Amino acid sequence: MRTMDTSASLCLASKLRSLGADAGDLDMVLHAVKGRARVAAGTDVVRAGDIVEHLTLLIGGMACSYKWSEDGGRSIRVFHHAGDFCDLYQYVLPECDSAIGVQALTDAVVAVINHRDMDQLLRRPKLALAFWRATMLEAAIYRKRLTTASRRSALERVSHLLCEQLARSEAAGIRCARLPISQIDVADATGISVVHVNRTIQTLRSLKALSEESHLEVIDRKLLAQVAKFDGRYLDMPRHLSGWAVRVE
Amino acid sequence: MRTMDTSASLCLASKLRSLGADAGDLDMVLHAVKGRARVAAGTDVVRAGDIVEHLTLLIGGMACSYKWSEDGGRSIRVFHHAGDFCDLYQYVLPECDSAIGVQALTDAVVAVINHRDMDQLLRRPKLALAFWRATMLEAAIYRKRLTTASRRSALERVSHLLCEQLARSEAAGIRCARLPISQIDVADATGISVVHVNRTIQTLRSLKALSEESHLEVIDRKLLAQVAKFDGRYLDMPRHLSGWAVRVE
DNA sequence: CGTGCTGTTGAGGACGATCAATGACGGTGG
DNA sequence: CCACCGTCATTGATCGTCCTCAACAGCACG
């Protein structure tokens, strides 16, 4: 394994294993992963509009997929955590939605898998299913957000978003209550105005769910989850597949 | 082909072909399709909570996937048209989200493919990719709706929903301006209150985009698409893959 | 020491939810 | 045939959430 360091193979391996891949599968994937690189916070990992010939893999740090809407606003579709594939959809549906960009929220580490190599990897049925599941997991996130987005109050939406990111960053092995997300990011991800996001966050602070500091730091996860009506099971699929112990909150 | 009639094999075949499957793939799939059945409008095709051992295929008619939310309201996640798989996610992610039901909106015809047979089908790489793409197409719908849901006005959301269903029913080979959807369905799908959906539809009627009758009938697609800021390209992926001519509106 | 970005606060107003009632229509049983 | 019921569509009135505009404070940056 010259092309990958330990942390990289660790986060990718645990992810794929949890999706049902076996040891042989993992080995093939790790051999296909190329071009590890550092990206500074705030810069684009995948530029909107580029035609990509490879799949981008987020090894470390946090990023977001966004799109510019007609009216000039940025809309964030989803956040990415260590181990996530940033543009799997580009491989599955080439030429579709190439206007999506991926931006690093923190200093990040990325790697790539060429689409040509993906073709080979998918000849392994279990691996194909694992990749399929990865996209389904993302779809489950969209579905969940869809119901929360159109039906719930700003307080619920914001706290649900925070719960989701916290749960996912934990699933990626990072246990940190502070999220590297600005209030503007929250606004762009929820569709709520920045001003109202600010007031909402202040409400969460007064409830003692978030810290008083100006960055986003969760101090009472249980309360936050309660406010958000957060039920993380929709993210737990990997745990089920891999037969891990059910999480005890 | 004893198990399927012409229309059934037609709609399924054209769908899979557009997703990249070849003739041999199609043949295998058609052999795996079993148990064709009629379902009356209003009844459940897939009962919420049931553990299904097969994949349900909508051959004819229209249906919707819905879920009961905590507060007793019904939330519609997505509408299904002829040729759609109703519960592909159940195969990919067993035990996840089994609380989703599928209800027929019109008299419908359904068939099934056993999960065991799916395992066999997926050994064919092209077919696996085709199924993967089918779920990605659904995910694209969720993504699109996510941005419209959280950012746009009721008028845009409702008209966008109508445009989407019209485009999809046309993609399924049905060219009919009348949609078999009640205002309640629209409300449950958009997250807007029934009362406000009604007022919104009246606005669309006064704009001459919808007919004056009490059912939903589109009389000016162009205007509706304009109001909705509808760009159907996110649904056009099958056309791209199959190299079909680009649709001329 | 300006410049730009993020966070914060205030005031006014629009959009859409909610509650409540009524109408239209088809089906069902008398 | 008609009274009754359930479902869906429609209308009015009130009210709350959240958007918009506008201004300012803190902080990092050159």
Side-chain angles (χ1 to χ4, degrees):
Chain A
M1 263 320 82
R2 277 281 130 165
T3 50
M4 305 265 295
D5 67 358
T6 322
S7 79
S9 52
L10 254 182
C11 88
L12 182 56
S14 81
K15 172 116 178 172
L16 285 173
R17 201 173 259 295
S18 73
L19 293 168
D22 64 28
D25 292 333
L26 281 182
D27 212 49
M28 274 198 67
V29 174
L30 292 180
H31 275 286
V33 176
K34 307 270 166 61
R36 198 165 152 286
R38 277 179 191 288
V39 179
T43 60
D44 276 11
V45 177
V46 177
R47 200 164 309 237
D50 280 8
I51 291 164
V52 288
E53 308 265 308
H54 55 256
L55 202 145
T56 311
L57 180 58
L58 185 65
I59 300 291
M62 201 170 153
C64 68
S65 282
Y66 67 90
K67 190 172 181 177
W68 296 106
S69 49
E70 326 69 51
D71 56 10
R74 181 183 67 158
S75 106
I76 293 180
R77 328 199 109 190
V78 69
F79 290 101
H80 297 293
H81 298 261
D84 283 356
F85 301 97
C86 296
D87 49 6
L88 202 41
Y89 64 92
Q90 292 265 20
Y91 171 76
V92 186
L93 302 182
E95 299 163 48
C96 179
D97 254 345
S98 62
I100 299 176
V102 178
Q103 184 185 39
L105 293 173
T106 63
D107 288 346
V109 181
V110 298
V112 302
I113 298 178
N114 284 323
H115 282 182
R116 263 191 315 279
D117 295 330
M118 275 297 284
D119 297 342
Q120 292 308 310
L121 293 176
L122 290 183
R123 300 197 164 279
R124 301 176 73 96
K126 270 193 191 165
L127 203 46
L129 189 55
F131 279 112
W132 190 0
R133 281 174 171 150
T135 61
M136 284 303 276
L137 189 54
E138 208 179 306
I141 292 170
Y142 291 134
R143 268 206 301 268
K144 177 59 111 182
R145 196 127 90 216
L146 195 48
T147 50
T148 68
S150 56
R151 250 159 271 269
R152 297 218 214 276
S153 70
L155 188 64
E156 288 171 313
R157 285 201 264 167
V158 168
S159 42
H160 197 280
L161 184 78
L162 299 182
C163 283
E164 183 197 308
Q165 304 324 314
L166 214 54
R168 289 176 59 201
S169 93
E170 229 175 65
I174 294 148
R175 204 173 186 88
C176 173
R178 176 172 174 179
L179 290 167
I181 303 177
S182 72
Q183 296 187 6
I184 295 174
D185 293 333
V186 173
D188 289 348
T190 55
I192 302 169
S193 71
V194 191
V195 172
H196 201 63
V197 163
N198 180 268
R199 292 191 226 273
T200 305
I201 286 177
Q202 283 176 57
T203 304
L204 287 171
R205 291 212 250 260
S206 70
L207 288 173
K208 308 284 180 205
L210 299 182
S211 83
E212 289 293 338
E213 288 140 294
S214 81
H215 60 252
L216 281 181
E217 183 170 356
V218 180
I219 54 177
D220 190 338
R221 301 174 48 117
K222 231 179 194 135
L223 181 58
L224 191 67
Q226 194 180 320
V227 170
K229 297 197 180 73
F230 181 72
D231 176 359
R233 275 177 297 177
Y234 72 105
L235 294 170
D236 268 356
M237 174 268 298
R239 290 165 203 277
H240 290 144
L241 293 176
S242 58
W244 291 357
V246 177
R247 167 173 45 171
V248 184
E249 278 289 294
Chain B
M1 264 317 82
R2 277 280 129 162
T3 50
M4 304 264 295
D5 67 358
T6 322
S7 79
S9 52
L10 254 182
C11 89
L12 182 57
S14 81
K15 172 115 178 172
L16 284 173
R17 202 172 257 295
S18 73
L19 292 168
D22 64 28
D25 292 333
L26 281 182
D27 212 51
M28 274 199 69
V29 174
L30 291 180
H31 275 286
V33 175
K34 307 268 166 61
R36 197 166 153 286
R38 274 178 194 291
V39 180
T43 59
D44 276 11
V45 176
V46 177
R47 201 164 308 239
D50 280 8
I51 291 165
V52 288
E53 307 265 309
H54 54 255
L55 199 145
T56 309
L57 180 58
L58 186 64
I59 300 291
M62 202 171 151
C64 68
S65 282
Y66 67 90
K67 190 171 183 178
W68 297 107
S69 48
E70 326 71 50
D71 55 10
R74 181 184 68 159
S75 106
I76 292 180
R77 327 198 110 192
V78 69
F79 290 102
H80 297 294
H81 298 262
D84 282 357
F85 301 96
C86 296
D87 49 6
L88 201 42
Y89 65 92
Q90 292 265 20
Y91 172 75
V92 187
L93 302 182
E95 298 163 49
C96 177
D97 254 345
S98 63
I100 299 177
V102 178
Q103 184 185 37
L105 293 174
T106 64
D107 288 347
V109 181
V110 298
V112 302
I113 298 178
N114 284 323
H115 282 183
R116 263 191 314 280
D117 295 329
M118 276 295 286
D119 297 341
Q120 291 308 311
L121 293 176
L122 290 183
R123 299 197 166 278
R124 300 177 73 96
K126 271 191 190 167
L127 204 46
L129 189 55
F131 279 112
W132 190 1
R133 281 174 171 151
T135 60
M136 284 302 275
L137 189 54
E138 209 179 306
I141 293 169
Y142 291 134
R143 268 206 302 268
K144 178 57 114 182
R145 197 128 88 218
L146 195 49
T147 50
T148 70
S150 55
R151 247 161 273 269
R152 297 218 212 277
S153 71
L155 189 64
E156 288 172 313
R157 285 201 265 168
V158 169
S159 42
H160 197 280
L161 184 76
L162 300 181
C163 283
E164 183 197 308
Q165 305 323 314
L166 213 54
R168 288 176 60 200
S169 93
E170 232 176 63
I174 293 149
R175 204 172 186 88
C176 173
R178 177 172 174 179
L179 291 166
I181 303 176
S182 71
Q183 295 187 6
I184 295 173
D185 293 333
V186 174
D188 289 348
T190 55
I192 301 169
S193 72
V194 191
V195 172
H196 201 64
V197 164
N198 181 268
R199 293 192 225 272
T200 305
I201 285 176
Q202 285 176 56
T203 303
L204 287 172
R205 287 196 185 125
S206 70
L207 289 173
K208 308 285 180 204
L210 298 182
S211 84
E212 289 294 337
E213 288 140 295
S214 81
H215 61 251
L216 280 181
E217 184 171 354
V218 181
I219 55 176
D220 189 339
R221 300 174 50 117
K222 227 172 196 143
L223 181 58
L224 191 67
Q226 195 180 321
V227 171
K229 296 198 180 75
F230 181 72
D231 177 359
R233 275 178 297 179
Y234 72 105
L235 295 170
D236 267 357
M237 173 268 298
R239 291 164 202 278
H240 289 145
L241 294 176
S242 58
W244 291 358
V246 178
R247 168 173 44 169
V248 184
E249 280 285 298

